Amino acid sequence: MTSSTDAGPTDQPTPESQPERRARPERPASERRVRPDRPRPEATTTGPRVRTGKPVRRKAEGQWALGYREPLNPNEQSKKDDNPLNVRARIENIYAKTGFDGIDKGDLRGRFRWWGLYTQREQGYDGTWTGDENIDLLEAKYFMMRIRCDGGALNLAQLRTLGGISTEFARDTADLSDRENVQYHWIEVENVPEIWKRIEAVGLKTTEACGDCPRVVLGSPLAGEALDEVIDPTPAIEEIVRRYIGKKEYSNLPRKFKTAISGQQDVVHEINDVAFVGVVHPEHGPGLDLWVGGGLSTNPMLAKRVGVWVPLDEVPDVWEAVVSVFRDYGYRRLRTKARLKFLIKDWGIEKFRQVLEDEYLKRKLIDGPAPEQPTKPIDHVGVQRLRNGLNAVGFSPIAGRVSGTVLTKVADAVERIGSDRVRFTPYQKLIVLDVPDDKVDALIDELEPLGLQARPSLWRRNLMACTGIEFCKLSFAETRKRSQALVPELEERLADLNAQLDVPITININGCPNSCARSQIADIGFKGQLVDDGTGNQVEGFQVHLGGSLGFDSAFGRKLRQHKVTTGELGDYIDRVVRNFVKQRSDGERFAQWAVRADEADLR
């Protein structure tokens, strides 16, 4: 089922979406004609007429389905000029031979993303340099490369390949992202074809790992094995990737498109463009509940339930229909309004469902119940029994930072215990499946010296960070690198409170407003920006968000007016606010609940 985007409009343009028309010049009153059968209205003497403002006509949003196919911004023009997937041939045949200086800027800053490549930040430029006006200075001749790991699922051959590429081509860098990907740095364009050759030989790829397209599909690390899983959606994830990823019909979307599919609530489904969550229908049995329109960044919105139950074998078709609605009706005029969440906000979920069913699926979907709210976060860290009688052991690096050397050593350790399955998580964690009872402790002991802990402190377990100013051109502050020192600092400073904390306190650190590490939904979230150090100097720091959460009473964090902390103050601030929480909390109260009711002075 594919909807054509080259046909004419499928509906008449609404007044809101029609292009602006040039206003006609108004005739002088003496030249206006009055129809003889329509007398002039009598003048009133009740007072002056109240003038109203001139109606404001909304600009067209560039929706293809309404007939607007001409690009309205440079990004849309670039995609129209050449499908971004075509750039692979130029990378292999031209740029890998000419080197960085031979790369066309349109490819470099746009189309490369469809193959998982972003230029990284030039070293030595602090946050005062961040901004488009300095792009030529900030753009290093090296790339971040993102390896697509749909469902976070890897076998040992894949893990070894990832480790080898890191040590040979990426200066031993490797970060686990909160999208279940691996990210390298220091990649040179000359080596990209060889990297593709190696990863594709073991079934991995970088296709559409970035760009305005369907990015990696989040899946449960324990899909098919979790005791609490409603249904194993792995076949649906695999079919979506097989059918649609790398296909030009879906490679030109208004903006990025994020997907999460799981039989349990462990994939942050509330902040994805589309998500399918396991649920049991009272008549039809296990299936998946459909959510749409989630996303964070500068205008965060939580996804909405469509209210339908989708059987497993229909998930790929419904996924395609949702993507097609976004492709055809999504807003393409402004990049800042081009995510699916803005369409859902304007349409409402009822209209979205109607369009989805009537124009794309050509059938009605089955009404379904909502999944039950979880009673605790599901990050899979620690030891869990699997359905096959073996164990999963979840390990926590600090903010996902590992290396090629570490990944290779993990593969060696996993092979020794007889397993062939490793998983990444949406929380920057690593899970080893199929661990026999008598090998659990040995595996934990072997990986701990590598910085992978299965019994981590609350602070190591619950801290996430984005790439930060170390490599990211958009960042104002250091994040992932800073977290490597922050976690041990918190472990020492707050050691006396561990026995009193029976609830997690999540800390998410972002280098800019884009919220790649989800600052708005953390107990304590930090958003990178330049702040005044008190002496008139602009230094790197963070705006604070408090009390965000997903799963329980999903909500965005509370922002304290004009409250900011510098990078050097992070430890002091976290120490202070956590101690206030411990003093004031009620029995069983979570940090997010306390942050809503706490006095502002206790949150500063």
Side-chain angles (χ1 to χ4, degrees), residues 452-493:
L452 299 172
Q453 295 186 9
R455 302 183 181 98
S457 68
L458 290 173
W459 314 110
R460 176 184 288 260
R461 179 171 185 163
N462 296 300
L463 185 143
M464 289 174 44
C466 69
T467 297
I469 206 168
E470 181 183 13
F471 296 117
C472 179
K473 302 186 298 293
L474 303 178
S475 185
F476 293 97
E478 189 54 78
T479 54
R480 183 174 270 126
K481 188 176 181 180
R482 174 73 178 92
S483 69
Q484 306 306 302
L486 179 63
V487 165
E489 177 187 347
L490 295 177
E491 289 173 339
E492 181 177 347
R493 295 180 66 152

Side-chain angles (χ1 to χ4, degrees), residues 192-208:
V192 169
E194 177 63 21
I195 294 172
W196 282 336
K197 178 181 176 181
R198 294 189 190 185
I199 63 171
E200 289 170 1
V202 293
L204 295 173
K205 54 189 170 184
T206 68
T207 314
E208 295 182 325

Side-chain angles (χ1 to χ4, degrees), residues 43 58 89-90 126 144 171 240 245 267 290 295 303 389 416 418 457 483 531 558:
R58 286 181 55 182
R90 293 193 289 278
D126 65 17
M144 180 275 284
R171 300 189 188 181
I240 287 170
I245 302 307
V267 290
L290 176 62
R416 280 192 286 273
S457 68
S483 69
V531 303
R558 171 183 177 182

Side-chain angles (χ1 to χ4, degrees), residues 144-391:
M144 180 275 284
M145 173 180 271
R146 186 175 292 162
I147 307 295
R148 185 179 183 123
C149 304
D150 292 280
L154 296 168
N155 57 39
L156 290 189
Q158 293 169 331
L159 189 63
R160 288 188 193 284
T161 299
L162 294 179
I165 289 170
S166 169
T167 55
E168 188 170 348
F169 300 113
R171 300 189 188 181
D172 209 23
T173 59
D175 290 328
L176 309 184
S177 79
D178 59 7
R179 297 297 304 176
E180 299 183 337
N181 293 312
V182 170
Q183 292 184 175
Y184 297 129
H185 298 284
W186 302 108
I187 298 294
E188 296 174 295
V189 71
E190 291 90 339
N191 296 322
V192 169
E194 177 63 21
I195 294 172
W196 282 336
K197 178 181 176 181
R198 294 189 190 185
I199 63 171
E200 289 170 1
V202 293
L204 295 173
K205 54 189 170 184
T206 68
T207 314
E208 295 182 325
C210 314
D212 299 347
C213 52
R215 299 191 182 183
V216 67
V217 180
L218 291 184
S220 173
L222 302 190
E225 297 290 358
L227 299 180
D228 298 329
E229 184 180 56
V230 172
I231 191 171
D232 177 10
T234 301
I237 295 175
E238 293 174 345
E239 188 66 8
I240 287 170
V241 173
R242 185 189 70 80
R243 284 192 207 172
Y244 308 120
I245 302 307
K247 301 300 189 294
K248 291 185 177 180
E249 300 96 308
Y250 311 98
S251 64
N252 183 354
L253 303 180
R255 277 294 302 275
K256 58 188 172 185
F257 187 83
K258 297 182 176 181
T259 302
I261 306 176
S262 178
Q264 57 183 324
Q265 296 178 56
D266 57 354
V267 290
V268 291
H269 62 276
E270 301 101 320
I271 57 171
N272 280 267
D273 294 279
V274 64
F276 296 84
V277 181
V279 67
V280 177
H281 193 287
E283 298 177 17
H284 303 286
L288 295 115
D289 189 47
L290 176 62
W291 297 62
V292 295
L296 296 177
S297 193
T298 54
N299 286 284
M301 300 181 197
L302 294 175
K304 306 290 186 183
R305 289 190 62 244
V306 180
V308 299
W309 176 88
V310 183
L312 180 60
D313 61 349
E314 294 181 12
V315 167
D317 290 337
V318 175
W319 181 91
E320 183 198 16
V322 173
V323 174
S324 299
V325 172
F326 178 48
R327 177 194 62 200
D328 299 345
Y329 284 100
Y331 301 153
R332 294 176 181 262
R333 180 171 66 90
L334 297 175
R335 298 283 290 173
T336 53
K337 286 190 62 179
R339 292 289 296 275
L340 178 61
K341 61 188 177 183
F342 293 101
L343 183 67
I344 300 298
K345 179 183 178 182
D346 289 347
W347 273 10
I349 207 66
E350 293 80 10
K351 179 176 179 179
F352 178 84
R353 178 175 176 177
Q354 178 185 355
V355 171
L356 183 73
E357 293 175 332
D358 294 351
E359 296 186 29
Y360 292 86
L361 291 170
K362 308 296 185 182
R363 59 183 174 82
K364 296 297 182 183
L365 293 167
I366 299 171
D367 291 340
E372 294 182 7
Q373 287 188 329
T375 57
K376 60 181 180 180
I378 308 173
D379 64 5
H380 303 299
V381 173
V383 181
Q384 290 180 263
R385 180 69 67 181
L386 300 177
R387 289 182 178 179
N388 62 12
L390 299 172
N391 301 283

Side-chain angles (χ1 to χ4, degrees), residues 110-129:
R111 303 181 189 97
F112 267 45
R113 300 176 184 183
W114 273 251
W115 290 98
L117 294 163
Y118 284 91
T119 50
Q120 71 184 42
R121 188 186 190 100
E122 183 63 80
Q123 303 296 293
Y125 291 92
D126 65 17
T128 61
W129 294 88

